[in-house]
Amino acid sequence: MGKLKVTEMVKERRIISIEIIPPKRGEDVENIYRTLDKLMNYDISFISITRHPVEVDYIEYEDKIVKVHKVKRPGTLGLTAALMNRYRIDVVPHLICVGMSKFEMEDMLIDLDIMWVDNVFVIRGETASSVENYNKGDYKYAVELVRQIKDLNMGKYLYTAAKPTNFCVGVAGYPEKHYESPNLETDLKFLKQKVDAGADYIITQMVFDAQVYKDFVERCRTIGINVPIIPGVKPVVSKSSVFNIPKKFFVTIPQRFVEAIDSAKTKEEEFNVGIRFTVELVEKLIEYGAPGIHIFTMGRGEESCEVIKHTQSILK
C-alpha cells in the first residue's frame, strides 16, 4: 500500500487516478472488482469512491405506501477498506455534507483514521428535492467540513482534545462554474475559501476542452490558489452520452467532437471516436502542465483502460 498523500504523489510523478461509484443497495460488488482487476494492470495512483446523500423513497405495500429515507448507494467506507485490502492501493473516500451532523462526521473520520486512510475528498452534495424534507445536517457549505478536518489534524475534536489525525483534504473545482453560482468569479471565490481553510488539492469537474482547464488554472493562480489542480476526465464513447452528460453535469462538449461522434455509423466507431478524442484531450492537458488525470469510470472499465493504455507513456 502506497500510504502517500495526494500532494506527495503529484510531486513524485504525473498521476492517474480513477473514480468509482459504490453498488446500489443490495447489489453485488463483484462487478466493481471485475472492472478494477483490469484497471489495476496499469500504474494507478489512487482510487476515489463517491458517497451518496440520503434520498426520499416510497415503498409500496399491499395496503399502504411508506415514505422512507435511505442511501441508494451505501458502502463507501466498507468499499474503501475492501479495496485497500484487495489491491494494496491508496483509496480516497468522498465525504458528503448533506444530511450529516458534525458529530456523525467526526465518527466517520475517526473510523477512516483507524483504517489508515490518509486522503479524503470533501463535497457539499446536492440539496435536491429528494432530500428536501430530510434533516440536511449541520453543514451549509463544504468549507465548514474542510475546517473541521483541519481541526482534527491539530487534535481539536468537537468536545475534547485528542490524538491529531493526518488527513490530506481534496475539494472540487468547476472550470465552467458550479451550476448554482451566478458566474465563475463568484465560484472561484468560494473555491479559494476552501483552499484558505486548508484544502490541499483540487480535482475538477470533468473537462472536455484542455483550454478550459488551462484558463481555469490560470485564474486560480491569479487569485492565490496554488494547490495542485487535477483535471477530471470522462471518456465519452456513445452518441447518447454526448447529450446526457451535459444535462446531468452542466459541462460543455466541443462541437468538433459532437460532429465526429455523430458521423459514426456503428457503436464500434462511436467508441473509437470517443477514445481518440479523450486521448488527444489528455495529451493536451499534460502539455498544459496538469499534474495527472482523474478518470471518472462510472463503474465501467473498458474505455478507461483504452485511454490509459494510449496515454501511460506521457503520464510517467
Side-chain angles (χ1 to χ4, degrees):
M1 194 178 300
K3 288 299 294 172
L4 287 176
K5 291 184 170 67
V6 171
T7 48
E8 296 168 337
M9 295 179 197
V10 298
K11 288 179 181 177
E12 290 190 349
R13 60 187 173 90
R14 293 190 181 95
I15 66 167
I16 305 173
S17 57
I18 56 176
E19 183 167 310
I20 63 171
I21 57 177
K24 290 181 180 178
R25 181 176 292 271
E27 286 189 353
D28 203 325
V29 76
E30 291 302 321
N31 285 335
I32 290 174
Y33 290 154
R34 280 191 286 271
T35 295
L36 291 176
D37 285 348
K38 298 173 187 175
L39 287 165
M40 288 303 108
N41 291 322
Y42 302 97
D43 192 9
I44 305 298
S45 300
F46 65 85
I47 303 169
S48 175
I49 306 178
T50 64
R51 184 173 175 85
H52 293 252
V54 171
E55 298 181 22
V56 174
D57 198 5
Y58 295 87
I59 300 176
E60 186 172 354
Y61 296 97
E62 288 185 3
D63 59 340
K64 60 183 177 180
I65 297 176
V66 178
K67 177 182 176 181
V68 298
H69 296 93
K70 68 179 183 180
V71 178
K72 290 185 178 178
R73 291 182 181 272
T76 297
L77 292 188
L79 195 54
T80 296
L83 298 186
M84 290 172 68
N85 180 64
R86 183 181 177 98
Y87 299 110
R88 318 307 294 176
I89 191 172
D90 286 292
V91 178
V92 181
H94 288 204
L95 301 176
I96 190 166
C97 296
V98 169
M100 295 289 288
S101 73
K102 290 184 178 181
F103 189 74
E104 289 171 325
M105 188 65 75
E106 182 172 278
D107 283 354
M108 187 180 301
L109 288 160
I110 290 170
D111 282 341
L112 290 171
D113 186 50
I114 291 170
M115 291 161 56
W116 287 15
V117 170
D118 283 342
N119 303 285
V120 293
F121 189 71
V122 169
I123 55 174
R124 186 199 67 187
E126 301 307 324
T127 54
S129 58
S130 58
V131 294
E132 190 171 34
N133 297 316
Y134 182 72
N135 171 26
K136 299 234 178 94
D138 291 341
Y139 305 94
K140 188 174 182 181
Y141 300 111
V143 66
E144 300 166 69
L145 178 51
V146 174
R147 292 191 187 108
Q148 181 180 355
I149 297 171
K150 288 300 173 173
D151 279 347
L152 285 176
N153 282 354
M154 294 186 291
K156 298 177 183 176
Y157 289 64
L158 289 176
Y159 304 116
T160 185
K163 179 186 77 70
T165 55
N166 192 32
F167 292 112
C168 178
V169 180
V171 293
Y174 297 86
E176 299 182 70
K177 85 174 185 64
H178 191 278
Y179 74 96
E180 291 180 359
S181 289
N183 52 58
L184 186 55
E185 287 77 13
T186 300
D187 206 37
L188 285 170
K189 181 186 74 173
F190 291 134
L191 179 59
K192 190 172 189 303
Q193 287 176 1
K194 291 187 284 188
V195 173
D196 289 345
D200 300 292
Y201 66 97
I202 296 166
I203 297 177
T204 77
Q205 176 60 284
M206 57 187 72
V207 293
F208 293 93
D209 186 331
Q211 187 65 45
V212 169
Y213 168 79
K214 182 183 180 184
D215 293 343
F216 177 70
V217 172
E218 289 175 352
R219 296 182 79 160
C220 285
R221 301 309 184 216
T222 298
I223 65 171
I225 296 174
N226 295 311
V227 299
I229 301 175
I230 305 164
V233 174
K234 171 70 179 79
V236 174
V237 294
S238 69
K239 294 179 184 179
S240 59
S241 293
V242 165
F243 292 93
N244 289 333
I245 283 177
K247 288 189 291 186
K248 186 173 183 180
F249 297 101
F250 306 95
V251 294
T252 303
I253 296 181
Q255 180 62 16
R256 61 185 179 84
F257 176 50
V258 175
E259 292 174 354
I261 202 165
D262 193 47
S263 66
K265 305 300 182 188
T266 65
K267 291 293 183 184
E268 183 180 3
E269 283 184 30
E270 291 178 33
F271 184 90
N272 292 333
V273 168
I275 295 301
R276 283 197 301 272
F277 174 82
T278 309
V279 168
E280 291 172 6
L281 172 63
V282 172
E283 290 172 346
K284 280 273 180 61
L285 291 168
I286 298 305
E287 180 185 323
Y288 286 161
I293 57 170
H294 181 75
I295 302 179
F296 300 99
T297 69
M298 306 302 187
R300 297 186 297 275
E302 185 180 1
E303 52 262 48
S304 299
C305 284
E306 283 297 311
V307 169
I308 295 171
K309 181 172 72 175
H310 287 92
T311 59
Q312 59 182 335
S313 61
I314 64 170
L315 286 163
K316 290 184 178 178

